[in-house]
Structure formats: structure tokens, C-alpha cells
Amino acid sequence: MNMQTTLAGVTFQNPVMTASGTFGSGMEYAEFVDLNKLGAVVTKGVANVPWPGNPTPRVAEVYGGMLNAIGLQNPGIDVFMERDIPFLKQYDTKIIVNVCGKSVEDYVEVVERLGEEPAVSMLEINVSCPNVKEGAIAFGQKADALYHITQEIKKKAKQPIIMKLSPNVTDITEMARAAEAAGADALSLINTLTGMKIDIHKRKFAIANKTGGMSGPAIKPIAVRMVYQTARAVQIPIIGMGGIANAEDAIEFLLAGASAISVGAMNFVNPYCTMEIVQGIADYMEQYHIENLRDLIGAVNE
Amino acid sequence: MKEKQTARVISQKEIAPMIFDMWIETGLAAQALPGQFICVYTKDKSTLLPRPISICEVKEDKTALRIVYRVAGQGTKEFSTYEAGDAIDILGTLGNGFPVEKGNGKKVFLMGGGIGVPPILQLAKEMQAEKQILLGYRDGNLFLKEDMDAYGQVYVATEDGSCGTKGNVMDAIAANGIDADVIFACGPMPMLRAIKKYAEEKGIDAYISLEEHMACGVGACLGCVVKTKEVDHHSHVHNARICTDGPVFEAKEVEI
């Protein structure tokens, strides 16, 4: 049985990855998960300088999911290169670094620094975080802005780039096509859906930022639909995510057209989730006599 | 080593209105430290995130943990229905706990307010010191007070004045004319702020246990941060993670 999947010339031992921001750089979950068995670790977003993030409360529970507005707290690229990359290099897994910024120049600075590090296989460009005021989502909700930043990053990037798309748009395929036209090597979707929760007893927002990104199993049908639509609109490969809790969910995304999948909020609920999904996909392939994982990609019957 | 597991409820009872006392059989008891916490998960899959609950007591033979918690919402309401023999999903043990050695051999205040009382019990059991235990309650439901009596001199404060000093634990310090070399505390934010201020005025150390909404409980999501005086070692931005860098912090190190 071959569980390998290939995105933009990079081959992963299996399609199971960690969604950015839910897994740190792997250190915190290495006690629970054998990182060697993951397709890739996708890191928390890293900027050119440290970002303090948003005030607390930063997280809240909602029906079937959660809201977060962390605000991309991160130590900046210097610490990341000195600490996080050497940590991840100890493991036999691929490293995908999520890159965030407030301006095109910020993104390009980080992308150029990461170009010095051959252990980093791909870059995921975060143009879809709904929780920061500058940058990020500002580049991810207008097709011309997305086209421009993708093109600028692509000029400097040594690794293939994945543009991470926001679901908070009218037509995600328009964004996907713009990224593809500007040279993106792959897409990942969906980032969180902007949500809100109000504590009726205190008459206060549950999250200090007022709005937060919703994730968790409740958003999965939206994510599957968007992956399916996007897969039919572009030629470049897709990493699908949004509420994946088990192997059945992961396989849905593969059948909808994703070449790989990421597990996000469910890492918080079940820290062993990613390992169970790798095994569950293998069991499914055995059950249905599927030799190559690639035969599942986009294989839903029309 | 942190582990998520399905453990068994040994017993549960309501010891004050909406305050529940549960013993859980778990091997995690072997590594539990006073001031550490566990995350408890609901069976209702509409509520996904773990509830962080402090460890109140560790059984002598290290085979069970006691948690005492307040029913505050849907999750804790579910936990309160569990009976002996029921399965309970937990992750632990989490956080650093109280630095017991900083109190050994000294004259200490061990202070708990409201649902911050429970972790003070195991701390009082383990610390070898002249222990003055200050407990603050809303009313005369003095849960865990009798358990504490065995480990030190207990002073009570109640908001309604029904027992002990009327007011809070700070009022109890003043009313009893007592002092200490070092403070260990868990309770609501106004109480912890008052302790931080008191410790600074007296020039003594205080170790306070904080809480915040959490998602992962293990330091990955960066949801539960507190502003710190020095740069934190994780993100280098003066934001320490309560779940992993705490929940106990030196009061002078945090901006609360």
C-alpha cells in the first residue's frame, strides 16, 4: 500500500498534516504524537519580528467547535530559525512553515530567510487570518491583492508556496484562480470562519477581539464543499482542512479533491488524533483494496 | 509525562451548593504535584474543549486524584452527573504547580478563595512549614475547611459574614493580626491582585495560581496567556502561557 502524496514536486509519506496554529512547532505534541509518522508538520505562523498577539480571552467554545483570536503571537523568524527548525529537523517528517506579515515586505523578508533553510519543504502563506488588523486577511479577500502578494512572494521564494485561503469570501474559486494565475504552487483551505459569541449574563463578547475564527467539526461540511469547488476550478494541488476529527472526515476531503489534509482544532480535543487518522486511512485503503492513495484524490462519483 | 486517558470515577458527592467533590482512579496520580491541574473532557461532543480543573488531593498510595469543582456551565454540569464506576476522559498532569520548597521551614500563608480553595489542600499536605491557611468563601458553605484543619491553623473569611471574618482573605489577615515570610495562593483575580500588592508592600514573595480560558492545555495554542514583566521564553513577547509556564507564577513576574 502506498500512502504517499505529492504536492508541487514534494513527496510526503502520507497525507496527514497539522493545521497551522494548532500544533506549535511540534514540541508540545511530541509527547503524544510520533512526529516521524506525520506527513508534515505545518508550523504556527511566523513573522519577521515577534508579535504579541491579542488580549485575552482569546478562545471560546461554541456548539461543535471553537472560536479563537490568538492574533498570531509568535517569536519572529530569528528565534524560529534558531530553535524551532533545529527541533523539527530531528524528525523524519516534512516541514511546512506558515508565514505571516503586515505588509508584502514583511512576508518577503520571512520567505527570503526561510529560503536559506533546505530542511523547509514548502511555505504556507497566511493571507487569511481573520484576527489581526493589518496584513493577513487584507491580502486574502480581494482577488487583485491576493494576485499581487502571491506574485511578489513567488519571485523570492526558494520553496514551493501554498496560499492559505479564507472562507470569508463570496466565491473562494475566484481567489483560488487568482493565486494560481500568480504562480502559487498549491492551496490550503479553509482557514477559520469569522464568528462571534456573546455572554448574555455579562453582556460581553466571549472573545476580547469581539470576533474570532471558528473551527472544529461544525465547519466541516462548508470546508468539504469549498475544497470540492476549488479542486474543480484550479489545476494546482490542495491541502484540505476544516473540522477534521477522524479518518472518515479526512477521506471525505481526499475524495472531494484534496491531495493532503490537515488536522486543526481536534488536536486540542484528542492529541492522538493525527496518528489515529494515518492508521484509519490505511485501514480504509485496505478495506477497499486501494493500492495508491492518489487514487482517492478527487474520486467522488459525480 | 502527559497523557490523555479514560479513567474511572471512584466517588462523587456535592459538598456545597453546586460544588462537587470527585475522586478519580488514575495512574496520573503518581506524578501529580500540588497546584497542577488536569483537563477533563465531556462526553457530549457538542462541547469539545477540555475543562481545566485543579488537583485538590492525591491519594496516599498514588492511585487516585481528587478534584473539587464548581458547576459553571454545560461541561461541568455533565461531570456532576458522573457516578462511581463511570468513565471520565482526562489529560494530565498539566502545569508546573506550586514551588513547595520555597515554603518549607518558613512561616507561610496558604490562601484560597472560592473555587481556588481546592488546590490549597494538597499544598498544605505536602509543605513542611508554619502553615496559616486562609480560606475565603461567599457564605457559610465552608467546603474543604475540615480537611484543611489537619494541616495548619485555618482562618476563614466569608463575604456575608456568616463565618470567620466578614470580607475576604485580606480582611482575615488584618483581623487576625498575622504575618508570613511567603505566600501561596489561588483564587479570583481581585484576590490575586490584592495579594500581589500586599506582598510587594511587605517585601515578601508570593506565588499565585492563575486561570484563563484554554483550548489545548499543553502550550500549543497560545490561548491562555498572561502579561509578564520579563520576555517569555516561548514567544519572546511578554506573554507567558498559563497552562505550561504556570499556572503558578511569582506574583511580581506577572502583570495582572
Side-chain angles (χ1 to χ4, degrees):
Chain A
M1 185 191 303
N2 181 358
M3 289 186 75
Q4 287 182 349
T5 188
T6 302
L7 286 87
V10 180
T11 298
F12 300 86
Q13 59 185 339
N14 66 59
V16 180
M17 304 177 175
T18 58
S20 178
T22 65
F23 208 73
S25 288
M27 283 171 218
E28 290 79 14
Y29 279 107
E31 273 187 74
F32 304 97
V33 173
D34 181 357
L35 302 183
N36 298 303
K37 292 187 176 155
L38 286 170
V41 170
V42 183
T43 69
K44 171 83 178 165
V46 60
N48 57 334
V49 293
W51 286 11
N54 289 328
T56 56
R58 291 176 168 185
V59 294
E61 188 172 70
V62 294
Y63 197 96
M66 63 178 287
L67 297 175
N68 90 82
I70 307 299
L72 289 168
Q73 175 177 324
N74 79 87
I77 189 67
D78 289 342
V79 169
F80 184 83
M81 296 285 272
E82 284 162 27
R83 179 186 66 191
D84 299 43
I85 294 289
F87 170 80
L88 283 169
K89 278 163 86 166
Q90 305 172 84
Y91 296 93
D92 181 23
T93 187
K94 291 282 191 283
I95 305 170
I96 298 177
V97 178
N98 183 284
V99 177
C100 56
K102 291 176 175 152
S103 65
V104 173
E105 293 71 28
D106 288 355
Y107 283 95
V108 167
E109 187 183 338
V110 178
V111 163
E112 289 189 311
R113 287 289 303 279
L114 289 165
E116 302 160 12
E117 182 47 79
V120 174
S121 294
M122 296 180 90
L123 308 179
E124 181 181 60
I125 311 302
N126 183 352
V127 286
S128 45
C129 175
N131 300 322
V132 294
K133 288 188 175 59
E134 299 167 90
I137 191 69
F139 299 104
Q141 283 178 322
K142 290 200 177 79
D144 53 349
L146 179 63
Y147 181 91
H148 176 69
I149 193 169
T150 305
Q151 201 175 37
E152 291 304 307
I153 289 170
K154 191 60 194 163
K155 279 181 199 163
K156 304 288 183 181
K158 294 268 202 312
Q159 293 95 340
I161 64 166
I162 306 158
M163 300 307 285
K164 186 166 184 177
L165 301 184
S166 171
N168 303 307
V169 292
T170 308
D171 179 2
I172 198 163
T173 63
E174 186 193 344
M175 308 303 294
R177 277 189 281 258
E180 182 181 45
D185 300 286
L187 301 171
S188 56
L189 60 133
I190 59 174
N191 204 319
T192 54
L193 288 148
T194 309
M196 180 179 281
K197 180 180 181 178
I198 294 169
D199 179 329
I200 61 164
H201 302 292
K202 296 177 184 160
R203 297 195 186 189
K204 281 174 70 175
F205 296 101
I207 293 217
N209 191 52
K210 296 184 185 174
T211 59
M214 183 171 170
S215 58
I219 73 164
K220 195 194 72 179
I222 300 169
V224 173
R225 182 265 295 178
M226 288 188 165
V227 165
Y228 173 76
Q229 288 177 321
T230 305
R232 292 161 65 94
V234 297
Q235 300 301 312
I236 51 179
I238 295 168
I239 303 171
M241 68 195 76
I244 295 176
N246 51 43
E248 288 77 11
D249 296 342
I251 293 160
E252 261 193 84
F253 278 84
L254 296 172
L255 294 174
S259 296
I261 60 95
S262 284
V263 180
M266 287 307 286
N267 287 308
F268 306 152
V269 185
N270 174 10
Y272 310 108
C273 194
T274 46
M275 295 295 96
E276 292 169 10
I277 291 172
V278 172
Q279 185 58 49
I281 294 173
D283 293 345
Y284 175 88
M285 289 173 66
E286 198 179 313
Q287 183 187 347
Y288 289 96
H289 310 292
I290 294 154
E291 270 307 304
N292 285 297
L293 182 108
R294 66 171 179 269
D295 295 336
L296 286 176
I297 299 168
V300 60
N301 292 319
E302 287 296 334
Chain B
M1 186 85 177
K2 299 183 196 101
E3 191 189 327
K4 188 183 174 194
Q5 56 172 230
T6 301
R8 292 272 155 207
V9 175
I10 297 171
S11 65
Q12 171 148 261
K13 60 184 177 199
E14 189 171 10
I15 56 171
M18 303 304 266
I19 306 285
F20 286 79
D21 179 352
M22 185 195 289
W23 277 98
I24 302 164
E25 184 178 12
T26 169
L28 295 174
Q31 65 187 37
L33 302 170
Q36 282 193 310
F37 65 97
I38 59 173
C39 275
V40 187
Y41 298 80
T42 59
K43 294 187 171 75
D44 172 0
K45 291 304 163 207
S46 74
T47 57
L48 294 168
L49 297 181
R51 274 60 180 165
I53 299 178
S54 65
I55 293 166
C56 172
E57 193 176 357
V58 182
K59 200 177 169 196
E60 303 300 338
D61 66 2
K62 308 275 185 195
T63 59
L65 292 176
R66 181 186 190 186
I67 56 172
V68 171
Y69 61 96
R70 188 193 304 278
V71 172
Q74 213 178 330
T76 42
K77 190 173 175 187
E78 180 191 302
F79 305 151
S80 74
T81 66
Y82 294 180
E83 295 173 355
D86 283 353
I88 182 169
D89 286 334
I90 60 174
L91 168 69
T93 53
L94 306 176
N96 292 318
F98 287 106
V100 180
E101 71 287 354
K102 303 276 188 188
N104 287 341
K106 294 187 179 153
K107 189 176 176 187
V108 301
F109 283 158
L110 307 183
M111 304 170 75
I115 205 60
V117 167
I120 300 302
L121 180 58
Q122 185 63 24
L123 179 66
K125 279 177 78 171
E126 293 195 20
M127 191 175 283
Q128 304 297 320
E130 185 184 335
K131 287 168 280 197
Q132 304 166 92
I133 305 170
L134 292 129
L135 306 176
Y137 299 94
R138 287 178 185 167
D139 51 36
N141 287 298
L142 310 181
F143 59 89
L144 297 174
K145 190 223 168 246
E146 284 181 15
D147 297 69
M148 303 273 188
D149 282 332
Y151 304 107
Q153 179 68 45
V154 177
Y155 300 89
V156 167
T158 52
E159 285 174 17
D160 67 2
S162 56
C163 290
T165 306
K166 181 171 169 41
N168 58 37
V169 286
M170 304 312 292
D171 299 317
I173 292 176
N176 291 288
I178 51 180
D179 59 39
D181 305 323
V182 54
I183 299 174
F184 300 83
C186 184
M189 196 54 95
M191 168 181 149
L192 299 179
R193 285 197 191 101
I195 289 170
K196 176 178 161 74
K197 186 162 169 277
Y198 174 88
E200 277 162 13
E201 283 166 8
K202 297 282 180 187
I204 61 175
D205 290 334
Y207 298 90
I208 56 177
S209 182
L210 305 180
E211 67 172 352
E212 182 54 75
H213 292 274
M214 294 181 186
C216 72
V218 298
C221 76
L222 310 181
C224 63
V225 296
V226 59
K227 290 272 168 219
T228 52
K229 203 172 85 184
E230 305 296 329
V231 293
D232 65 279
H233 69 93
H234 178 272
S235 302
H236 297 243
V237 290
H238 303 267
N239 267 341
R241 297 164 298 176
I242 289 174
C243 65
T244 38
D245 302 322
V248 178
F249 292 90
E250 207 172 340
K252 63 188 172 200
E253 294 300 322
V254 290
E255 290 169 13
I256 55 174

